[in-house]
Every structure is written in C-alpha cells, then in structure tokens.
Amino acid sequence: MRSRPIGFLLATLAGAVLALGGTSAASASPPTATASGDVGTADACYTWGGTLREGSSGEAVRQLQIRVAGYPGTGNQIAIDGAFGPATRAAVTRFQSAYGLAADGIAGPATFNKIYQLQDNDCTPVNFTYAELNRCNSDWSGGKVSAATARANALVTMWKLQAMRHALGDRPITVNGGFRSVSCNSAVGGAANSRHMYGHAADLGAGSQGFCGLAQAARNHGFTEILGPGYPGHNDHTHVAGGSGRFWSAPSCGI
C-alpha cells in the first residue's frame, strides 16, 4: 500500500468566476465554489467545480464516471461517456453508501472530497499504479488500441480494483500483470483476442482473499470478464477485465 502524496491545495480566491466543469492539475486551481455555494478543495489530479447530478454532462461527469466505475451493480458496467444518466446515478449512490456518505446519487463536495482522498496526483487510486498494470513496456504501445486508449482503459481497471479492494475489507490486492502489447501477449501464450491487449485486464494473485474470493467479488465491480480456478489455465490466478460482452468462468468457485 502506498502512502498518498499531499493532493489538497488550500487557498481562498475571492470574486472568482467559477465554471461547473473540472480543471486539471496543470492549472493549479484554488478552492472552487459549488452550485450550492459550498467551497470545495482543489486537488492535484483533478478538481470538480460544481455539483453533478442526473442530466449533467461533459468532462467533469466523465472524470466522475472513471472513479465510480467499480460501483455499477452486480453484473453491470457503466459507460464512461460524460453523460450522467440513471446508471451513473446508481453508481454514485453505491459509492456514497460504501464510504458512509449521504447516498443520494448527487455528486457534491462530500463525494468529491472522498475521491480526492482516494487518488494520487497522477489520478490513479492510492492502492494501485500504472507500473502494476503494465509490465510489458514503458509507453503502452503495440496493443490492439492506441497507447493513450490502453492507458486510459487501465486507469478505469484500477478504479474498479480499488472499489473491489474496499469491499473486501481494504486488504491488499496483488496485481501480477495487466496491459500487453501484441508481442508480449504472444510471448506468454495469451489468447488472440485477449483483453490484456486493450488495457482492460488484470491478473490477480491470491493474496489473503484467495482466488475464488477475488473472482466472486469481481462480479459486483464492473468486470465483464472473470476467469479463475476451474477454467483452463487459470488455477494459479484470477483474471478480471472490462470491455464489451460478458464471460465469467471460474467453476471451482461456483462461477
């Protein structure tokens, strides 16, 4: 587990004109006023500037969706599309409930402040890193999608893992592999259509939860592909992935 760098920049800006969208770390934003008049803190990764609710849209919503991607409900996956619809509201509600917040499905200061606590300055969740999700190369190139897309998909995967980790009592989850280029995938004998080549997948070690515990929990956190004990070649790890379609198979775990 990594300790979280200081991500909050506390200052006051009087008379500022504030937009409802979020700002990036590069702009070094001061505290921002929400639509309800509350003042939120600025974060070194991303700062939301206003309350988001069903009907909201834009980059601020897309950034929120990445962080709550692990709360879609059993067997579901939310779209990272910048449109705050019923599925996003339900995911926000589950996130709020998981952390003891008022579970109203409206993302305001309390929700954003919890997210700020959970993320590092590079926008990864505090308990996972890009390095864990890519043991193939340093630039995310050579997969089935662009390097930028593979890296973005891996970020969503990490937030799903963060949600799963919290649900399992905040016990560490061991990530043994993630993104693979086509050549890396071939070298390890991966499937020709492996979701590893899209940045969607992670292979997990047993840890204290056990392979079956991980596979069973993954059903609730946005993973559309779960392969574990009893599935050929997966008795020594649990494989989880996002992406289109759904295929779960871990017969020894009742899946």
Side-chain angles (χ1 to χ4, degrees):
M1 176 175 176
R2 295 175 292 149
S3 60
R4 184 179 185 276
I6 299 299
F8 300 97
L9 309 174
L10 301 176
T12 302
L13 183 65
V17 178
L18 301 168
L20 289 180
T23 58
S24 67
S27 63
S29 301
T32 54
T34 68
S36 63
D38 296 317
V39 175
T41 55
D43 185 78
C45 160
Y46 186 88
T47 299
W48 284 270
T51 299
L52 299 174
R53 52 173 47 86
E54 193 166 352
S56 298
S57 62
E59 180 63 13
V61 173
R62 193 183 74 84
Q63 292 290 338
L64 174 64
Q65 289 169 328
I66 292 170
R67 276 64 168 189
V68 299
Y71 293 91
T74 302
N76 295 322
Q77 177 176 240
I78 68 168
I80 312 297
D81 58 5
F84 198 128
T88 298
R89 176 169 182 161
V92 170
T93 300
R94 293 186 188 97
F95 172 86
Q96 292 167 329
S97 180
Y99 285 99
L101 306 177
D104 58 5
I106 299 171
T111 299
F112 297 136
N113 286 337
K114 175 51 67 175
I115 292 173
Y116 297 152
Q117 293 171 17
L118 292 173
Q119 68 185 10
D120 277 332
N121 293 343
D122 64 354
C123 299
T124 59
V126 292
N127 297 112
F128 298 93
T129 68
Y130 281 116
E132 288 177 292
L133 269 291
N134 183 357
R135 302 178 190 274
C136 171
N137 58 38
S138 61
D139 61 6
W140 301 83
S141 64
K144 292 285 192 178
V145 292
S146 71
T149 297
R151 193 172 189 269
N153 289 342
L155 181 62
V156 176
T157 299
M158 281 187 271
W159 280 100
K160 291 178 180 181
L161 289 172
Q162 185 71 29
M164 192 167 112
R165 184 186 191 277
H166 183 60
L168 290 169
D170 287 310
R171 289 176 288 166
I173 289 177
T174 301
V175 179
N176 292 326
F179 168 75
R180 300 173 190 158
S181 67
V182 173
S183 59
C184 284
N185 188 64
S186 177
V188 299
N193 62 344
S194 172
R195 296 190 188 183
H196 284 282
M197 295 184 288
Y198 297 83
H200 284 306
D203 289 338
L204 310 179
S208 62
Q209 304 91 342
F211 296 132
C212 285
L214 293 166
Q216 290 161 354
R219 296 174 296 182
N220 304 319
H221 297 289
F223 292 109
T224 56
E225 185 171 87
I226 304 168
L227 304 175
Y231 184 79
H234 289 74
N235 287 326
D236 62 351
H237 69 283
T238 293
H239 165 94
V240 296
S244 60
R246 189 172 91 180
F247 182 62
W248 295 351
S249 184
S252 298
C253 307
I255 299 173

